[in-house]
Amino acid sequence: MATTLTEEQTPPIDAMEVVYQRPEALTDVPTHYCPGCGHGIAHRMVGEVIDELGIRTQTIGVAPVGCAVFAYNYFNMDFIEAAHGRAPATATGIKRVFPDRIVFTYQGDGDLAAIGTAEIVHAAMRGEKITVVFINNAIYGMTGGQMAPTTLPGMKTTSSPSGRDVEATGQPARMSELLATLPGAAYIVRRSLHNVREIRKARKAILTAFKVQQAGLGLSMVELLSSCPTNWGMTPSDAMKWVEENMVPVYPLGDYKVVDAVRDL
Amino acid sequence: MLNGWIDIHKDRCKGCGLCVAACPKGVIALAEDQVNAHGYHPARLEDPEGECTGCAICAVACPDVCITVYRMPKRVEADAPAVAASA
């Protein structure tokens, strides 16, 4: 049977039921992300969680600067583009004006862990009731693969061609551990996207993070270890293996702060 | 008996191969003989034996949200052995 590439296909047996499809919280457009980029997985999980909680029309997102700068095109809800690194400050303003809305930021490591470190730290200190989705791929993706504060020791990037020298540039920024020390943070966890089991755990964490905001417990953040096949110079599958073998030992997965009230949600 | 089936939005697929690596039955492959609108070889279901169970692991792994998963309802599955026996 000849089919054109754009033709939508229907299952061979009419009785078949749809068990998995695109969430309503994502717009029906292709993304600009490179093949195999973890951003698409993270977008989908956030979309699924928002659909599951039925909060799409009450949710306001804040987009970062970085590869995810066009996130406002992909989420089917109200979105604001923040200045580089300032998403938690923008979200603070929105949440204080509209305390009944669900406000989340979606930030990469160049945005949250470099230029925007002050904003996320102070948002956590103030205990802002926002949710942060933090994508850590240990490199500046959009600008061409330069070294980030999260780059692993010895990792080669375009601005550290012989590997990151920890004597000159310090150790990787472990943001979850840092933010977990602040009293205003209610839920700080790190998950990974390197295989389906970890993706499912990450989705559960994002669900909990949004529930923490609904309960008004404080700042909730899910750090997601993700890949950058283009700037790492690997195939998407190899990049996922690299996350598991190299990033997870430096950024251990786990719950860094979970206040007691979260367990009752 | 066909239990599962997936529809891959071919023009949205970027041919990253994460679904190919994730599929526990190994029934997804990149279509080396096809090129989509963006110039990638899209993934497709190659399942002549009907091994797909509709587990949706491919869809969970897909970064471009281009896989829709279908599965036979449980009620019909229960009837299936009787149909197979009479055939």
Side-chain angles (χ1 to χ4, degrees):
Chain A
M1 187 175 67
T3 54
T4 61
L5 289 179
T6 50
E7 188 178 320
E8 192 175 339
Q9 297 182 46
T10 50
I13 302 173
D14 287 344
M16 280 188 167
E17 294 171 345
V18 173
V19 291
Y20 202 100
Q21 63 185 345
R22 193 178 188 85
E24 194 189 0
L26 293 183
T27 53
D28 195 19
V29 295
T31 64
H32 73 285
Y33 300 120
C34 303
C37 176
H39 272 307
I41 299 172
H43 279 27
R44 192 196 60 228
M45 287 192 297
V46 173
E48 284 175 8
V49 164
I50 286 171
D51 279 357
E52 185 175 331
L53 294 172
I55 54 173
R56 188 174 68 85
T57 54
Q58 294 117 269
T59 301
I60 302 171
V62 184
V65 171
C67 286
V69 66
F70 296 128
Y72 50 77
N73 287 333
Y74 307 140
F75 286 102
N76 189 13
M77 62 194 70
D78 289 335
F79 240 79
I80 288 184
E81 174 64 47
H84 199 180
R86 275 65 192 178
T90 308
T92 297
I94 299 168
K95 185 71 181 181
R96 289 188 176 202
V97 173
F98 297 118
D100 56 329
R101 308 297 168 90
I102 303 298
V103 182
F104 77 99
T105 72
Y106 184 100
Q107 300 176 265
D109 51 328
D111 195 77
L112 185 140
I115 193 169
T117 311
E119 278 71 20
I120 186 64
V121 167
H122 281 277
M125 278 186 192
R126 297 190 304 267
E128 295 297 342
K129 294 164 186 63
I130 59 172
T131 299
V132 178
V133 180
F134 168 37
I135 309 295
N136 180 358
N137 61 6
I139 207 162
Y140 289 149
M142 184 182 72
T143 50
Q146 289 84 6
M147 192 185 84
T150 46
T151 295
L152 307 188
M155 181 176 166
K156 288 181 181 172
T157 67
T158 52
S159 58
S160 60
S162 49
R164 180 174 186 171
D165 174 10
V166 293
E167 283 298 313
T169 61
Q171 293 284 340
R174 294 185 174 93
M175 294 306 291
S176 288
E177 286 88 332
L178 170 69
L179 296 173
T181 62
L182 302 174
Y187 185 71
I188 305 285
V189 299
R190 183 184 287 127
R191 298 288 186 267
S192 177
L193 304 178
H194 67 258
N195 64 32
V196 170
R197 183 184 299 162
E198 297 299 330
I199 292 170
R200 290 203 163 121
K201 285 184 193 167
R203 185 188 185 282
K204 208 172 168 189
I206 294 172
L207 181 66
T208 307
F210 276 91
K211 284 182 178 173
V212 166
Q213 181 179 166
Q214 284 181 316
L217 300 178
L219 186 121
S220 53
M221 184 181 90
V222 181
E223 175 175 352
L224 300 170
L225 301 184
S226 181
S227 65
C228 185
T230 300
N231 287 307
W232 293 356
M234 299 176 195
T235 65
S237 298
D238 288 348
M240 288 301 185
K241 284 193 196 86
W242 197 89
V243 171
E244 183 177 11
E245 289 165 6
N246 296 281
M247 282 188 74
V248 173
V250 177
Y251 296 108
L253 307 182
D255 298 355
Y256 287 91
K257 183 161 185 189
V258 181
V259 295
D260 290 341
V262 174
R263 307 201 187 277
D264 304 328
L265 292 176
Chain B
M1 181 63 200
L2 200 58
N3 283 316
W5 191 78
I6 58 169
D7 174 28
I8 300 174
H9 192 311
K10 291 193 180 71
D11 274 337
R12 197 159 288 170
C13 174
K14 293 173 184 160
C16 70
L18 290 179
C19 57
V20 177
C23 178
K25 297 287 182 186
V27 293
I28 307 176
L30 295 184
E32 302 290 344
D33 56 341
Q34 285 183 332
V35 178
N36 70 9
H38 290 98
Y40 298 116
H41 295 302
R44 71 180 165 205
L45 181 67
E46 292 186 353
D47 187 19
E49 308 291 327
E51 289 178 76
C52 176
T53 60
C55 66
I57 283 176
C58 52
V60 174
C62 176
D64 291 291
V65 207
C66 54
I67 303 180
T68 307
V69 183
Y70 297 84
R71 196 186 295 158
M72 287 302 280
K74 289 234 158 43
R75 172 173 47 78
V76 179
E77 272 173 29
D79 295 343
V83 175
S86 64

